[in-house]
Amino acid sequence: MTDKIAYTRHDDIAVLRIQNPPVNALGVAVRRGLADAVDRAEADAGVRAVLIVGDGRAFIAGADISEFGKPPMSPNLPDLCNRIEASPLVVVASMHGVSLGGGLEVAMAAHYRIAQPGSRVGLPEVHLGLLPGAGGTQRLPRLIGVENAIEVITTGRHIQAAEALELGIIDKIEEGDPETVGLAYTKSLLAKDAPRRPISEMPGPDPIDWDATYAAILKKGRGQISPATAVRAIQAASELEFSKGMTRERELFMELMKTDQRKGLIHAFFGERAVSNLPELKGVEPRPLQSIGVIGGGTMGAGIATAALLAGFKVVLIEMKKEAADAAQDRISGNLSGALKRGKITQTQFDALTTTALEVSVNYDSLSDVDLVVEAVFEDMSVKKQVFAKLDAICKPGAILATNTSYLDINEIAASTTRPKDVIGLHFFSPAHVMKLLEVVVADQTALDVTATGFALGKALGKTSVRAGVCDGFIGNRILATYRTAADHMVLDGASPYQIDKALTDFGFAMGPYAVADLAGLDIGWATRKRKAPERHPDERVPTYIDRLCEQGHFGQKTGQGYYIYEKGKRGGVPNPEITRLIEAEQQALGITPQSFTDAQIVRRYMCAMVNEGARVLEEGIAARPLDIDMTLLFGYGFPRYWGGPMKWADIQGLPQVLADIEEYACEDAWFWRPAPLLRDLIAKGQDFEHMNKEAAT
Ligand code: 3HC
Ligand code: NAI
């Protein structure tokens, strides 16, 4: 028996305690240990029952995800579950914390399940591009019926103990030490001679319209295949006897294991955990944070204030004038009433958050005692410098001065204070109380504990924080500018904005770039083009047709017209014929003969532009690791999670092919498509971006 399982005897009950911190993942040593421990219990004279418990904070969080993609090691999890279920002893699972994936499958292999009130269960495998592969698709429908099983498995959601009891996933809820309550429950079962109760012996679930269900779930998955594939496995539970159903589940599980989606989703799982784990911050204590100042109560300031209030901070928001302060207060109340409607906060909390926890003022002196200030005023260097000079004069020593600027040079902003070490960028995304991404932008002189505090704030606000360096647009907006340019070039050359949006939503993006532009406001891009015009390289191709639309006062959704025309009360828009006319006029003026692009060609160019700029961002140290870019795009830009991010996408395609494509595009536009030297370096060394992630972790 391995040291991952502690075996103890309590009268006629053998207790198997899983000890594999932090979350008792079912790695090979745990699987072997459990199989051996069941053998031992069966050979242990007088033992009538087995109680399985988990040590530490969870019963079992599932299969060990880090083993996926590696050669299988015996015993495999389905065999282990079948072995546990087949035991002649009565087997009980006492669950606390989470029992997820293989963890719930082990529990369902037991004959009875008792759980702590605060515990959660679920089969989240679809989120890793897989399906429950240790009998979950065969046992759960037998236990709770086909409709419920489909919902639980295809959403992968976590289910609270009370609901699990109602559904019939668990048999009893009892508060207390899991081993103590588990032993009492097992004793009570033995006392009444409760029989073994293998789920595999229960009848299979009733049939439903499998093809229609498969099609509906496939559509809902927006290109993700694992939930729909899980439906086919559940179908096998209905149509085949248990052992054949298990074989079918295994086949489908192994099919999914080989997919790129599985690789992308598992990269995302580890990436979102690694992203805030920075080697330079090891052992660095963040500064204490209780109160947050926000300067500017427009779109962003109000959103940031809302996020901070919801996370329990005291907030002081500063506006320029009384009317603007009132408008800010209204915006925040509007945001919070959304949270109230969704049941995230109670009316009492709403009242407290909009009154005692929040101070809206026109007087900067109110900031004298805050721990951290986020400036979210107009995107104008001279305004920001004035604000920072005021903050420098008013804020207490040690207070962190942060800017939410999208593009401006944070070193220059920091230099306008006498404490540049305390200055940092905290780049939120709109709406700031909803979007998950926070770019923590570290300037030349930012102190380490200030960076650590940026990450601590991100965590407190429930954000995924990514470290970025200072440059025009940091990680996300800089890469966005490049792939938007690639799309704009395709429009000039003959692809319509509507074909591009469709090709990219089919690829899995939440929205296409032109629908996004309409949402963000076309005036922003217009202003940026005008700002950058003086320094523009003569070889740079910049479309001007969209400026004509802006000149007519059309800025996208907010004015009702942009790339699309929007009707009040209707979701989404319809293509704007004026855009097509303006594009054709520009093509004629430039002497361009429009060419046709396939959807695959569009996606390829768009993605290559993203990867090439990502490689430059890495070369310049703006992002420390490829995974930082991947997580930025995933959490801030609607990139499909099942591709793992652009750098993971590039690894999956193979870097030599990506470089070959870029070189081919360079034949048409050598200025835009200059291959990043990092790409060539990695290829020459036979490495890829994952290699860089691994090197950074050691
Ligand atoms: N395998 C390997 N490592 C795991 C793991 C797993 N199943 N679950 C969590 N971990 C690791 C995390 O990577 C993290 O490692 P780190 O400290 O080195 O970054 C550590 O355990 C702690 O995890 P979190 O930081 O996520 O801790 P939380 O308390 O926030 O969350 C959790 C705990 C809810 C268990 C969350 O980690 C989680 O959702 N885990 C994945 C659960 C899952 O998807 N299970 C299904 C696995 S697939 C399967 O079982 C296939 C089977 O059907 C055959
Ligand atoms: P906004 O125009 O909606 O709000 C700016 C607010 O700042 C206004 O209410 C204005 O009254 C106030 N203000 C201006 N000068 C001030 C001063 N000296 N003192 C106090 N208040 C002052 O602008 P928005 O969109 O909220 O942007 C703010 C900042 O956030 C900008 O730097 C922008 O680049 C950045 N940002 C914007 C995003 C967006 O999607 N809108 C996303 C991420 C960052």
Side-chain angles (χ1 to χ4, degrees), residues 587-610:
Q587 285 166 340
Q588 267 175 18
L590 295 171
I592 295 170
T593 312
Q595 49 176 300
S596 61
F597 290 83
T598 64
D599 288 0
Q601 286 169 329
I602 288 171
V603 167
R604 196 82 197 171
R605 281 191 192 228
Y606 198 75
M607 289 304 304
C608 283
M610 209 178 291

Side-chain angles (χ1 to χ4, degrees), residues 21-23 25-26 57-58 60-68 77-78 98 100-103 105 120 122-125 127-128 130-136 158 250 253 269-270 273-274 277:
V23 288
L26 291 157
R57 61 196 234 218
I60 305 171
D64 185 338
I65 300 169
S66 62
E67 283 182 0
F68 292 163
L77 201 50
V98 292
L100 298 172
E105 289 173 305
R120 287 174 287 148
L123 294 171
E125 285 88 343
H127 298 307
L128 301 170
L130 293 166
L131 50 78
H158 290 194
R250 194 78 198 148
F253 181 82
F269 176 84
F270 285 116
R273 284 163 176 78
N277 195 356

Side-chain angles (χ1 to χ4, degrees), residues 60-134:
I60 305 171
D64 185 338
I65 300 169
S66 62
E67 283 182 0
F68 292 163
K70 296 183 185 155
M73 281 175 287
S74 139
N76 70 23
L77 201 50
D79 289 348
L80 174 66
C81 288
N82 288 343
R83 168 73 189 89
I84 292 170
E85 191 190 54
S87 176
L89 305 172
V90 170
V91 185
V92 179
S94 182
M95 299 139 80
H96 75 289
V98 292
S99 309
L100 298 172
L104 180 55
E105 289 173 305
V106 166
M108 287 194 292
H111 306 135
Y112 295 90
R113 288 159 289 284
I114 179 169
Q116 292 295 307
S119 63
R120 287 174 287 148
V121 305
L123 294 171
E125 285 88 343
V126 294
H127 298 307
L128 301 170
L130 293 166
L131 50 78

Side-chain angles (χ1 to χ4, degrees), residues 275 278 466-467 475 623-633:
V275 74
L278 298 183
V466 178
R467 183 200 187 284
I475 298 178
R625 303 161 294 187
L627 70 87
D628 294 316
I629 297 175
D630 286 337
M631 298 308 118
T632 301
L633 270 292

